Amino acid sequence: MRRRLRTALALVLSAAPTGRRAGHAHGAAGPAPTEDRLSGARGTAPAPGRPEPGPGERPGSRNGGGPKAGRGPARPAPEAGRRTGPVRGTPRERLRAWAELLRVSALFSVPGDALAGAAAVGRRPGRGTVLAAGASLCLYEAGMALNDWADRDEDAVDRPHRPIPSGRVSPAAALGAAGALTAAGLALAARAGRPALTVATGLAATVWAYDLRLKHTKAGPAAMAAARSLDLLLGATATATAASAGRTAGDGGRPDNVAGTGGASATTAARTPGVLAPVLPALPAALVLGAHTYGVTAVSRHEAQGGSTGTPLAVLATTAALAAAVAGERRGRGLSGPAHTIPSAPGAPALTTPGATGTRHVATGAFGAPAHAPGAGHATPAPTRTTHTPPGERPASATLARLPALVAGAANNPGRLLTLGLTAAYVRTAAPPLLHAALNPSPPLTQRAVGGGIRAMIPLQAALAARAGAPVTGLAVMGLVPLARSLARKVSPT
C-alpha cells in the first residue's frame, strides 16, 4: 500500500510544471501552487484577459514581472475594442484617422465655391481663383479639426468611434492642426490681394466662432450659412482682384467676360470703391448657397439622436424653392437685376420684363450671354419681345407655372438645358435622403440626409456657374461628383 502511494506521488510531481514544484516559481520561494479556477488547469493556461507570453518572454514578466507580494492582484487587461489613451498604430492607420478627423470626402464640395464665384463676376478662373480655392480648402479643414476638438467630450458619449475619443488622434494635435490650417488659408488669401484677405479673415472668424461658441445656439445654422456664402465671395473677390491687376493696356479695356455680365460688373466696380466692388454681382449666388447650407446645418443638429420630422420637411421645401430660383428665368446679373431674360436660340427673340427704370430689352446668345454687348462690334441688336409678370406673383411659383415653356425653350439652348440638368441633379441628390429622414427620423437616416446635403452642394455650384454663362466651369465642377462619391464609401463626410 505504501509503495502504491509513493508511486502515485512521484507521478503527480513529475506532471507539475517546471519551476512550480515544491512551491517554487522560477527558482524563487513562493506559496504552494493552487488550482487556477479561471483556466481550470492549475495555471498551465492563461485566464481570460491574461495574455499568453510572447516568444522569448518568461511567464509573469509583463507589467513589471507580474504580481508580487504586497502589490495586490494584477491589473486586468482593457476590454477588447476600448481605447485607454492615444494610440499610435501603423502609418496607414494614422493616415486614416486624420482622414476621418478632417472628413476628406467632403473636401470636394469646396473648390466649386471659388469657381462659382468667378463665374458670378463674369471672369475666367485664373491665379486668383486657384489661390481662393486653396485658402478655402485650408479653412474648411481647419473647421473640421476644430469641430472635433470642441466636441470631444460629446463625441465620447454619442460617437466614441471618432478619432479623438477613440484615442487615434490627440486633442492637442487636432487643435494644432486647426491653427496651422487657418494660418495657411489666410496666407494663401493674402497672395490673392488685400480684398481677398479681408473676406478670408471674416470667413476664418466665422468658422472659429461657430465651432467654439455658436454651434449649439440658435445662431449656429446662420453662422454656417454665412461661412459658405463668404467662401463663394472669397472666390469672386480673389478672381476679380487678380484679373483687374493683370489687365494690360493693350486689350482696349474689354472685360474678361464669360457670364455675359462683364460690362455691368466693370461698371459696378468703377462706381463702388473698396472690397465690395467685385463682390456685389456674386451676392445672389452666395445667398442661394448660404440658404442651402443653412438647411443642411439645421438637419445636422439632430444627426446624433434623431427624432426631428419637421426640420427635414422644411429643408425639403427650401431645396425645391432654391431649385426653382436657379432653374428660373435669368434676371439681369445672376439671380437679380432690373430685367429678367429667358435665353433662346441664337437669332431668336429674347423675353424680357420691365425693370425699375422702364423696359430693358436683352437679346441672348447660345449660353445666355448678351448677343449685343458694348464694344462687341454689333450694330443692330436682335429683335426682342417684352412680357410682363403680375405684380403680386412670387418668382418660385411663376417659375413652376411656366415650367413647360422653360423646358421647351431650353431644347434649343444648350446652356439653358445644361442649367436645368444640373439643377435636376441637385434636387436628385438632396431631396430623397431628406424625405427618408422625414418619414423615419432615426440617426442613421438623418446622417444620410446630412451627407446628401453636403454632396448636393457640388451640383448646386455647377448649376450656378452654368446659369452665370460658364458652362465649361459648371461641367468641371460636376466632374468632382464621382470623386466625392467614391471617397465617401471609405470616409464618411459626417
Side-chain angles (χ1 to χ4, degrees), residues 34-43 45-50:
T34 58
E35 184 177 358
D36 192 339
R37 297 186 183 275
L38 292 176
S39 63
R42 294 179 58 92
R50 183 186 303 168

Side-chain angles (χ1 to χ4, degrees), residues 61-480:
S61 62
R62 292 188 179 184
N63 296 326
K68 295 186 179 180
R71 288 196 179 184
R75 183 180 179 182
E79 298 177 6
R82 183 177 177 182
R83 306 288 187 181
T84 57
V87 180
R88 291 190 59 85
T90 64
R92 185 172 183 177
E93 291 174 345
R94 294 197 298 270
L95 182 62
R96 179 174 180 83
W98 279 99
E100 293 180 14
L101 178 77
L102 300 177
R103 296 173 175 87
V104 294
S105 60
L107 271 180
F108 297 101
S109 68
V110 178
D113 291 343
L115 293 172
V121 295
R123 305 290 182 180
R124 291 186 177 90
R127 174 179 177 273
T129 313
V130 173
L131 291 173
S136 299
L137 289 170
C138 291
L139 295 176
Y140 186 85
E141 293 292 45
M144 290 297 183
L146 186 64
N147 173 78
D148 274 29
W149 180 85
D151 286 351
R152 61 191 185 279
D153 294 333
E154 181 181 339
D155 287 344
V157 177
D158 296 333
R159 309 175 78 177
H161 62 279
R162 293 295 301 163
I164 293 181
S166 64
R168 292 176 291 158
V169 176
S170 68
L175 183 60
L181 288 168
T182 300
L186 293 177
L188 289 173
R191 296 289 302 273
R194 184 174 298 178
L197 177 60
T198 302
V199 178
T201 302
L203 173 58
T206 304
V207 168
W208 281 73
Y210 171 81
D211 285 331
L212 299 181
R213 179 69 64 178
L214 302 176
K215 181 188 304 182
H216 300 293
T217 68
K218 293 182 179 180
M224 280 300 295
R228 183 63 74 160
S229 297
L230 286 172
D231 200 32
L232 188 145
L233 295 179
L234 174 60
T237 306
T239 303
T241 302
S244 299
R247 184 181 299 171
T248 60
D251 61 1
R254 187 172 56 191
D256 181 12
N257 174 37
V258 295
T261 59
S265 300
T267 304
T268 305
R271 294 179 180 177
T272 310
V275 179
L276 292 178
V279 168
L280 291 179
L283 278 177
L287 292 176
V288 169
L289 201 59
H292 172 78
T293 305
Y294 186 101
V296 175
T297 308
V299 175
S300 70
R301 295 163 77 92
H302 306 278
E303 64 179 345
Q305 291 83 20
S308 174
T309 299
T311 302
L313 284 177
V315 176
L316 183 61
T318 303
T319 301
L322 293 177
V326 175
E329 302 167 349
R330 288 193 52 156
R331 292 175 169 264
R333 297 187 304 270
L335 301 177
S336 63
H340 61 106
T341 305
I342 305 175
S344 56
L351 305 181
T352 63
T353 59
T357 58
T359 302
R360 180 184 176 187
H361 302 275
V362 181
T364 57
F367 296 100
H372 174 68
H378 297 278
T380 305
T384 60
R385 181 161 53 92
T386 301
T387 60
H388 297 271
T389 301
E393 190 173 7
R394 299 179 59 185
S397 60
T399 300
L400 294 176
R402 302 187 62 186
L403 188 59
L406 293 175
V407 174
N412 298 324
N413 191 325
R416 184 68 176 158
L417 191 62
L418 177 62
T419 301
L420 292 177
L422 294 174
T423 305
Y426 161 65
V427 175
R428 175 65 181 86
T429 306
L434 288 171
L435 182 59
H436 295 160
L439 297 176
N440 180 12
S442 62
L445 291 181
T446 304
Q447 293 174 11
R448 189 175 300 175
V450 174
I454 294 174
R455 291 190 300 272
M457 290 183 184
I458 300 178
L460 179 58
Q461 295 159 347
L464 290 172
R467 177 191 174 89
V472 176
T473 300
L475 291 174
V477 173
M478 199 62 185
L480 299 174

